[in-house]
Amino acid sequence: MGLGPTWLKWIEFCIKTTRFSILVNGEHVGLFSAERGLRQGDPLSPFLFIIAMEGLDSLMRRASLNNWIRGFRIKNRVNEVIDMTHLLYAVDTIIFGEAEQEQLCHIRIILCKIERLPTVYLGLPLGAKLKAVNIRDGVLEKSERRLELWKSQYLSLGEKLL
């Protein structure tokens, strides 16, 4: 099946048109739009993740059927041979393939966006030298800013003036 343009438009629509309402003293107070997309814990997140994983699964199966990628062969309970190219479990994905340039190119095409290292994941640079002195500076700086804001909420007026 694969994620066609219609599915991608639908996902984009769900993310960009999400509106929230909050309860104040048990009363709904207006609607406001999301500015940064979905957040962790959003009830829509698991469904969008499943749709994306279904698309990835479909693309990997198609690539395997066309012999663009080859994993390893296993036998199932009735001794049928199965090509194992990928496993999807919860939020983890494992891709199996031979160490050939051609297969890596096909996998890169399936995964679409190609990033260069170092890239940032969860605030930390991936692919950077681990012993670099400034590797954690961004995370520390962001944490210090948040800590300062948090501390200022609990200071008395006299402590704030110092």
Side-chain angles (χ1 to χ4, degrees), residues 36 39 139-154:
R36 294 187 182 183
R39 298 268 184 199
V139 175
L140 291 174
E141 183 179 310
K142 194 173 189 179
S143 299
E144 287 172 356
R145 271 189 274 129
R146 287 186 179 177
L147 188 58
E148 286 298 320
L149 289 171
W150 178 75
K151 280 191 209 174
S152 68
Q153 293 176 357
Y154 296 100

Side-chain angles (χ1 to χ4, degrees), residues 7-149:
W7 277 104
L8 294 175
K9 293 283 186 196
W10 184 81
I11 291 170
E12 183 180 10
F13 174 80
C14 287
I15 292 171
K16 289 186 175 180
T17 61
T18 302
R19 296 180 66 178
F20 300 94
S21 176
I22 59 173
L23 292 175
V24 176
N25 296 328
E27 300 279 330
H28 285 279
V29 179
L31 289 171
F32 58 95
S33 298
E35 292 183 14
R36 294 187 182 183
L38 299 173
R39 298 268 184 199
Q40 183 175 357
D42 190 300
L44 191 57
S45 296
F47 299 113
L48 293 176
F49 180 78
I50 289 169
I51 290 170
M53 286 298 102
E54 285 290 328
L56 175 63
D57 180 60
S58 176
L59 291 170
M60 292 294 292
R61 287 176 190 268
R62 186 174 298 159
S64 177
L65 288 173
N66 291 329
N67 289 321
W68 295 334
I69 59 172
R70 293 175 300 282
F72 63 91
R73 293 178 178 234
I74 60 171
K75 290 186 180 181
N76 64 10
R77 293 180 182 175
V78 293
N79 279 339
E80 295 174 334
V81 176
I82 300 171
D83 285 327
M84 181 67 66
T85 57
H86 63 289
L87 290 174
L88 304 171
Y89 179 75
V91 296
D92 298 318
T93 303
I94 301 172
I95 298 175
F96 304 102
E98 296 176 4
E100 295 177 357
Q101 184 69 31
E102 183 180 345
Q103 286 196 42
L104 289 174
C105 287
H106 288 293
I107 291 171
R108 287 176 71 168
I109 290 169
I110 290 170
L111 297 176
C112 297
K113 189 174 181 182
I114 298 170
E115 293 286 338
R116 300 209 184 274
L117 294 177
T119 187
V120 177
Y121 177 70
L122 297 177
L124 292 172
L126 295 177
K129 295 181 181 176
L130 294 177
K131 294 183 180 182
V133 177
N134 59 355
I135 194 169
R136 295 172 200 89
D137 286 351
V139 175
L140 291 174
E141 183 179 310
K142 194 173 189 179
S143 299
E144 287 172 356
R145 271 189 274 129
R146 287 186 179 177
L147 188 58
E148 286 298 320
L149 289 171

